[in-house]
Amino acid sequence: MKVEKIPVMQTQSNLQNYDEAYANFDWAEVEKEFSWYETGKVNMAYEAIDRHLLTPRKDKIALQFINDTREESYSYAQLSELSNKFGNVLRKLGIVKGDRVFVFMPRTPELYVSVLGTLKVGAIVGPLFEAFMEAAVRDRLEDSEAVAIVTTAALLPRVPVNELPALKHVIVFGSEEELAEGLISYEKEMAEASSDLEIQWVDREDGLILHYTSGSTGKPKGVLHVHNAMIQHLQTGKWILDFQEDDIFWCTADPGWVTGTSYGIFSPWLNGVTMVVRGGRFSPENWYSTIEKYKVTVWYSAPTSFRMLMGAGDEVVKQFDLSSLRHVLSVGEPLNPEVVYWGLRTLNQRIHDNWWMTETGGQLISNYRCMEIKPGSMGKPFPGIHATIIDDQGNELPPNRMGNLAIRTGWPAMMRKIWNNPAKYQEYFNFPGWYVSGDSAYRDEEGYFWFQGRIDDVINTSGERVGPFEVESKLVEHPAVAEAGVIGKPDPVRGEIVKAFISLRAGYEPSDELMDEIRKFVREGLAAHAAPREIEFRDKLPKTRSGKIMRRVLKAWELGLPTGDLSTLED
Ligand code: 6R9
């Protein structure tokens, strides 16, 4: 199949020539950008915030916050001061380097202050989605033996304070009443705390952040990252997000998800740009008006959000002035070509897909501004990253062969352990020298990578391998289809058949005719063997909070099996 390429739109970007950069790159050069290169004193929060106070960025806005009730901005100097205070609050409680401190809050400025303050005393931060229920909170605090949690009055009932022996301190923000015995008021402590703090210097290999992520089975695993990750956060910010001094950057991800910390805290602030944070619920109007109001220039979001915006129709977009945008990116799930074309049509922007994982800590494969985009491809490896496709024996495969997406070990932001679970950690490294991602993909002859699915999601029907993503992408091109999740359903004759779960766009009703029409649409547009033999219409599809369609839940529904850990399910 001949793939149409989208040409480079603007010639201005930090990265000018991908091949040249790839050939000559050395991570050691990036180290020179940090103050620890001279001083030997390492701390992420210092590099992301305090370092800028010695430069004209001191009074620049670091955080522009908005939700339904608050609109506030904080300069780098103000964030430095507030996080110093919070560091002192923790220090007074006896919190020291290596302790785990969890942050369980909606997106408000206090969340960001808490994260930075935690890092400044050398503790490891554990971010949680505000939507977590008690069991999810308990699992994570128990496994990590967290000593403190910062939360809000509204979320406090979901913290099982008396059931966690290691948990000594519960800091509560936003309580209108006197707090119960043993609880600590965020506001009261902050008001009393000094804004002078001696930062706890750490080693580059010391713990930074613990992100819990769900696998296909079992309890969520705690993926540990270390301060050294900043090397990659800084450089990918330069070359993938293309940060320029005057950028207004909006990453739509919540810090409960790795995208919301690596690229919703660390990377933008290491690069000294202004970051917009929007709290509250998603609506197309809220989102477009955020771009318009703050003149967002660089926008990093996820396919699920783009699909929702696309589903809201082109009329809505036209009501807003989005001309400030100069660079748009996507992560988390395969970016359907349909969405890429929507971006060109309505935003006049190429949407740059990139691929990485909680475990990888930073972006690894991406589309770059200086490179042609093949819609549906996640792009090429970042300079300094060696990505390949290997078979089940660990041999590298030639172009156009589907296999395991693997990365040569040793990039700066790679996870350093799975908390309490060395065996699980080891499973990623069964082939010496390679990190095996669990994703299946292929690489074309021009070096572009194409995602096919999670290894366990790939469908085998009558001996043909079908990547669910390809089918889903074709399905969402149909005017009636809002979202689609595709699984292999066991079949005595064909091994598996392709089954699609579909949610319809507003104005469409399920019917047998529509089913036939959609099936025909895939058969003619993609391949006969890829057309779903079964289609089931659903009002909503099960998705994670980061927007991933949970195919394993669809599969469990189908087979009447237990759905496993659902703590990251959206609703
Ligand atoms: C950052 C993040 C990782 C998994 C990954 C893959 C899927 C992420 C993707 C993508 C296709 C992309 N994924 N980016 N699939 N194209 N551009 O998403 O981390 O939540 O740990 O998920 O997400 O399956 O293995 P995480």
Side-chain angles (χ1 to χ4, degrees), residues 213 257-259 330-335 353-359 378 437 439 451 454 546 548:
T213 178
W257 182 29
V258 69
T259 306
S330 172
V331 71
E333 266 222 294
L335 184 65
D353 189 19
N354 47 76
W355 175 91
W356 56 292
M357 306 173 68
T358 304
E359 292 87 335
M378 49 202 191
S437 66
D439 284 353
F451 179 85
R454 291 294 295 167
S546 54
K548 295 186 214 309

Side-chain angles (χ1 to χ4, degrees), residues 15 18-19 21-22 239-240 355 363-368 371 378-388 405-407 443 446-449:
L15 180 65
Y18 170 81
D19 292 326
Y22 195 87
W239 282 356
I240 294 181
W355 175 91
Q363 298 156 332
L364 294 185
I365 295 178
S366 185
N367 290 283
Y368 308 88
M371 196 174 94
M378 49 202 191
K380 296 188 182 185
F382 193 73
I385 300 297
H386 181 66
T388 195
L405 175 55
I407 313 290
R443 180 185 38 181
E446 289 179 295
Y448 284 78
F449 282 75

